[in-house]
């Protein structure tokens, strides 16, 4: 199997994983989700009904019930990456006299990430109970668009406070609900949003650090070998100067596991980096993921209208109190006493 075939298999695997993540995220309006929906309808005529039923139950159990499967997968992926980093990358880097602090940086970030992971998964996100409902309902005012006063949760049998939502996976309403994260097996709410933000930031930094050290190793190897100044004979028997594609193929054949891991962590860094920027935007504007998607799904706007006589409901995010206060609210959620002082 040549390099191009392996590369195409890798790209197909990545695209399949991204497609599954998009489907499971619940964004049914996306073009990718609609395309996969259409393909699934075509495949439904080819796949036996019993197999479809089994697959449906398996997917329901994975994505609609609380499970530790993604936590195990998360730990397994981290163990695989750090196993390869420790047994091959660090050994080669040590032989090439890389700075010790540079080699230890991914481990320091990993320790911080594991600490944030435990805090995020074990802490209370802000589950609303009958004992704390009277206090939590006073913290945020109802905006009259996304959150209406007097709406009772049929499952919890309590009036839903503003910015709260019932999580079917956890079986309760959560104060300032953001989303349910399968990777930490817990809801993200008012009381653990800071841990999730730090967890996401350290996870992105961890992937970026591993990618940077691994890329530096391969660059050092290429420079020391002098392969860039050489040439090779192609399939037609012509001598050609070394190109990027040939260099990647050469590195893949020489260090297959390292190059594969580098491709994975680079992709992970890009995906996590984009998601981290999105969460930073939500934090700076004092929004949750639930509010952001809900406002766009209902066709609302985040700016006041200049034509009040129009019947279309316009949503204005009045929870935002400025960049500094919005960030402060993430790390120090407002209490009822603070609201009474105002």
């Amino acid at each position: 199997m040549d390099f191009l075939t392996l590369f195409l298999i890798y790209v197909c695997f990545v695209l399949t994983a991204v497609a599954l993540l998009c489907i499971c995220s619940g964004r049914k309006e996306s073009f990718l989700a609609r395309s996969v929906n259409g393909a699934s309808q075509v495949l439904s005529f080819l796949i036996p009904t019993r197999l479809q039923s089994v697959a449906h139950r398996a997917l329901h159990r994975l994505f609609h019930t609380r499970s530790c499967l993604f936590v195990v997968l998360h730990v397994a992926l981290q163990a695989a990456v750090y196993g390869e980093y420790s047994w091959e990358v660090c050994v080669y880097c040590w032989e090439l006299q890389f700075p010790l602090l540079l080699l230890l940086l991914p481990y320091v970030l990993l320790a911080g990430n594991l600490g944030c992971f435990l805090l995020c998964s074990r802490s209370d996100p802000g589950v609303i109970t009958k004992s704390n409902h009277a206090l939590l309902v006073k913290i945020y005012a109802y905006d009259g668009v996304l959150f209406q006063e007097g709406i009772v949760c049929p499952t919890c049998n309590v009036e839903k406070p503003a910015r709260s939502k019932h999580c079917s996976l956890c079986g309760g309403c959560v104060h300032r609900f953001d989303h349910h994260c399968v990777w930490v097996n817990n809801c993200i709410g008012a009381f653990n949003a800071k841990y999730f933000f730090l967890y996401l930031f350290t996870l992105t930094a961890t992937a970026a650090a591993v990618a940077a050290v691994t890329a530096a190793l391969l660059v050092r190897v290429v420079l020391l070998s002098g392969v860039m100044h050489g040439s090779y004979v192609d399939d037609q028997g012509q001598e050609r100067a070394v190109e990027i594609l040939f260099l990647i193929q050469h590195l893949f054949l020489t260090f297959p596991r390292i190059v594969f891991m580098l491709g994975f962590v680079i992709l992970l860094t890009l995906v996590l980096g984009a998601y981290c920027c999105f969460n930073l935007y939500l934090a700076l504007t004092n929004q949750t993921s639930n509010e952001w998607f809900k406002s766009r799904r209902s066709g609302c706007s985040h700016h006041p209208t200049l034509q009040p006589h129009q019947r279309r409901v316009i949503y204005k995010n009045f929870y935002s109190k400025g960049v500094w206060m919005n960030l402060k609210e993430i790390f120090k959620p407002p209490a009822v006493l603070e609201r009474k002082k105002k």
Side-chain angles (χ1 to χ4, degrees), residues 119-140:
L119 289 172
C120 188
S121 60
R122 296 293 182 181
S123 60
D124 176 22
V127 178
I128 301 173
T129 61
K130 292 184 178 180
S131 59
N132 63 13
H133 174 266
L135 297 176
L136 296 179
V137 78
K138 299 177 182 178
I139 293 181
Y140 293 112

Side-chain angles (χ1 to χ4, degrees), residues 45-189:
F45 294 101
L46 305 176
I47 301 175
T49 307
R50 181 171 296 181
L51 185 59
Q52 292 183 37
S53 178
V54 172
H56 178 74
R57 287 198 300 268
L59 291 175
H60 178 80
R61 183 173 181 82
L62 282 176
F63 300 108
H64 297 282
T65 58
R66 196 171 184 182
S67 171
C68 294
L69 179 62
F70 284 94
V71 176
V72 174
L73 179 60
H74 175 13
V75 174
L77 287 175
Q78 277 194 326
V81 169
Y82 272 86
E84 178 62 28
Y85 177 81
S86 302
W87 293 109
E88 284 203 89
V89 176
C90 277
V91 172
Y92 288 129
C93 288
W94 184 256
E95 292 177 356
L96 295 176
Q97 298 181 347
F98 273 60
L100 180 60
L101 291 178
L102 180 63
L103 299 181
L104 294 179
L105 178 61
Y107 295 104
V108 175
L109 292 172
L110 176 64
N113 178 251
L114 291 177
C116 295
F117 169 78
L118 291 175
L119 289 172
C120 188
S121 60
R122 296 293 182 181
S123 60
D124 176 22
V127 178
I128 301 173
T129 61
K130 292 184 178 180
S131 59
N132 63 13
H133 174 266
L135 297 176
L136 296 179
V137 78
K138 299 177 182 178
I139 293 181
Y140 293 112
Y142 294 93
D143 59 15
V145 180
L146 299 183
F147 305 103
Q148 304 283 346
E149 189 174 0
I151 302 297
V152 177
C153 176
T155 304
C156 302
N157 198 25
V158 294
E159 182 182 356
K160 297 174 68 172
R163 311 191 78 181
S164 68
K165 186 179 184 297
H166 181 84
C167 178
S168 59
L169 279 75
C170 295
C173 290
V174 178
H175 175 53
R176 198 183 182 274
F177 177 87
D178 191 276
H179 70 289
H180 182 93
C181 181
V182 295
W183 300 104
V184 300
N185 197 26
N186 197 8
C187 280
I188 308 302

Side-chain angles (χ1 to χ4, degrees), residues 33 106 178 208 265 269:
D178 191 276
V265 292
T269 302

Side-chain angles (χ1 to χ4, degrees), residues 236-295:
Q236 286 74 32
Q238 298 180 354
E239 186 175 357
R240 295 180 178 273
V242 173
E243 301 170 346
I244 296 297
L245 185 61
F246 175 83
L247 180 62
I248 296 175
Q249 182 177 2
H250 172 72
L251 290 174
F252 188 86
L253 294 175
T254 308
F255 310 102
R257 291 188 297 272
I258 293 179
V259 173
F260 189 85
M261 183 198 72
L262 177 60
F264 174 74
V265 292
I266 287 177
L267 176 66
L268 193 63
T269 302
L270 294 176
V271 173
L272 289 174
Y275 188 54
C276 197
C277 291
F278 174 67
N279 274 268
L280 179 61
Y281 161 75
L282 293 180
L284 293 176
T285 56
N286 202 338
Q287 299 180 75
T288 64
S289 298
N290 176 55
E291 295 165 3
W292 191 86
F293 287 116
K294 194 174 180 180
S295 65

Side-chain angles (χ1 to χ4, degrees), residues 189-222:
F191 300 153
N192 66 347
K194 53 182 176 293
Y195 301 135
F196 179 76
F197 188 81
L198 293 175
Y199 160 76
L200 187 60
F201 177 78
T202 53
L203 187 61
T204 306
T206 299
V210 173
V213 175
T214 306
L217 167 65
L218 295 179
V219 170
R220 179 74 67 86
V221 169
V222 169

